Amino acid sequence: MKVGFIGLGLMGLPMAENLRKAGHTLYLHSRSGVPAAVQGDGMIACENPAEVASKAEVVITMVPDTPDVEKVLFGEKGVAGGLSDGKLVIDMSSISPVATKAFAKRIEELGCGYIDAPVSGGDIGAKAATLTIMVGATETDFERAKPLFEAIGKTITLVGGVGSGQTCKVANQIIVALNIQAVAEALTFASKAGADPVRVRQALLGGFASSRVLEVHAERMINRTFKPGFRVGLHMKDLEVALSNARALGVALPSTAVAQQMFNSCVANGDIDADDSILCTAIERLSGHEIAKGS
């Protein structure tokens, strides 16, 4: 297919590269510019989102937040300005489910399809093309987009109609945040009690407490490697979507609110751009103890 891809950040760039490896032609745009190293061989830079949309059959957006998606779609020289009947827009950002439904309605009024398909798996999954993709779409649009999803993801689920993908992603981010906090608390407890957190993690990976967070984030906590796979600021944004939607729905999310405050503590210490595993430092500060190998 001729695929437009807008947003070439930590996740977007490897996703676009995997689509090219699958044989698709890519029309690219990013607010920070398209890296010269990826241009050529079916990777074509465009001046603006409207140009991307005019040249592609399917346009994918992968940008940080709800206002960013709105600007890319409907701002000056936005995607909407380059669309024509029958094209398909796929937003793979993690944004508000309510806004997603409004965006979809505006795109559908232009005679085009709209899919929300946020992802989970971080930069590791993006590079390995093993992302989990949560899709909100009609059956017809889903089948049309499926070959693209298969080039970048491993677990692909049509959750329901438009907006359902974003709702599922919010649920995902709640679970991940609480799991990060749980792992941070467990390792801090074990370390201060005198156990080696390396061996504690190894033991727990073989039991019911095992999780992807325990596998990946616990190792980062122990080794103090907080180079971002998924930034604190982005996870905070997702939790704010969860909490604001929970207020509207009358749903109680007490543990999610606590996790958000732990991330706030990290931001206050200058770590907004660090990996979200750095939440452990908020627990460590409260405990007066840093997780350490060989405790």
Side-chain angles (χ1 to χ4, degrees):
M1 298 184 196
K2 293 180 179 179
V3 180
F5 203 105
I6 300 169
L8 301 174
L10 196 65
M11 300 281 290
L13 184 57
M15 290 165 68
E17 289 176 328
N18 283 326
L19 285 167
R20 176 64 194 101
K21 289 174 185 176
H24 304 288
T25 299
L26 274 291
Y27 296 93
L28 307 172
H29 178 74
S30 180
R31 64 185 177 186
S32 59
V34 178
V38 304
Q39 295 182 42
D41 190 29
M43 303 275 272
I44 302 156
C46 295
E47 290 292 325
N48 52 62
E51 183 184 351
V52 171
S54 69
K55 293 181 177 179
E57 305 165 55
V58 179
V59 179
I60 297 173
T61 55
M62 185 63 177
V63 295
D65 203 351
T66 304
D68 301 302
V69 175
E70 184 171 22
K71 183 178 180 180
V72 163
L73 293 179
F74 306 113
E76 184 180 359
K77 297 183 180 178
V79 167
L83 292 175
S84 53
D85 269 359
K87 294 193 175 184
L88 180 62
V89 176
I90 306 173
D91 178 38
M92 304 193 78
S93 318
S94 295
I95 67 168
S96 165
V98 174
T100 290
K101 293 177 182 179
F103 297 161
K105 184 177 180 181
R106 293 173 69 179
I107 294 297
E108 288 162 1
E109 287 171 352
L110 299 174
C112 300
Y114 192 94
I115 293 176
D116 59 299
V119 302
S120 180
D123 62 325
I124 295 172
K127 292 171 183 174
T130 57
L131 292 168
T132 294
I133 307 176
M134 298 153 264
V135 186
T138 65
E139 290 277 359
T140 301
D141 285 343
F142 176 69
E143 289 302 321
R144 181 178 175 188
K146 198 171 181 181
L148 301 178
F149 295 148
E150 289 172 341
I152 57 180
K154 184 176 181 180
T155 303
I156 304 158
T157 306
L158 177 59
V159 180
V162 172
S164 298
Q166 294 296 351
T167 298
C168 186
K169 179 60 187 288
V170 170
N172 179 85
Q173 295 304 79
I174 292 170
I175 293 169
V176 172
L178 300 191
N179 204 350
I180 292 172
Q181 183 167 310
V183 168
E185 291 185 15
L187 291 184
T188 303
F189 165 78
S191 178
K192 194 162 187 177
D196 182 351
V198 174
R199 296 189 180 187
V200 169
R201 170 182 170 273
Q202 183 180 3
L204 295 178
L205 282 170
F208 202 60
S210 183
S211 69
R212 185 67 170 155
V213 169
L214 183 64
E215 179 186 347
V216 176
H217 284 58
E219 187 172 41
R220 291 171 175 170
M221 293 173 190
I222 292 165
N223 294 330
R224 321 307 288 177
T225 52
F226 300 122
K227 181 179 178 181
F230 188 72
R231 293 189 291 111
V232 165
L234 291 177
H235 209 145
M236 288 184 68
K237 175 263 299 182
D238 292 341
L239 294 188
E240 181 53 39
V241 170
L243 293 168
S244 62
N245 280 264
R247 283 192 294 272
L249 292 168
V251 174
L253 300 179
S255 297
T256 303
V258 171
Q260 182 75 309
Q261 291 304 312
M262 293 295 101
F263 280 131
N264 283 343
S265 172
C266 294
V267 172
N269 279 268
D271 295 323
I272 192 170
D273 291 320
D275 187 78
D276 53 3
S277 59
I278 206 168
L279 182 145
C280 70
T281 61
I283 304 298
E284 291 169 341
R285 284 189 291 271
L286 290 171
S287 305
H289 178 83
E290 182 177 300
I291 297 166
K293 298 178 185 178
S295 296

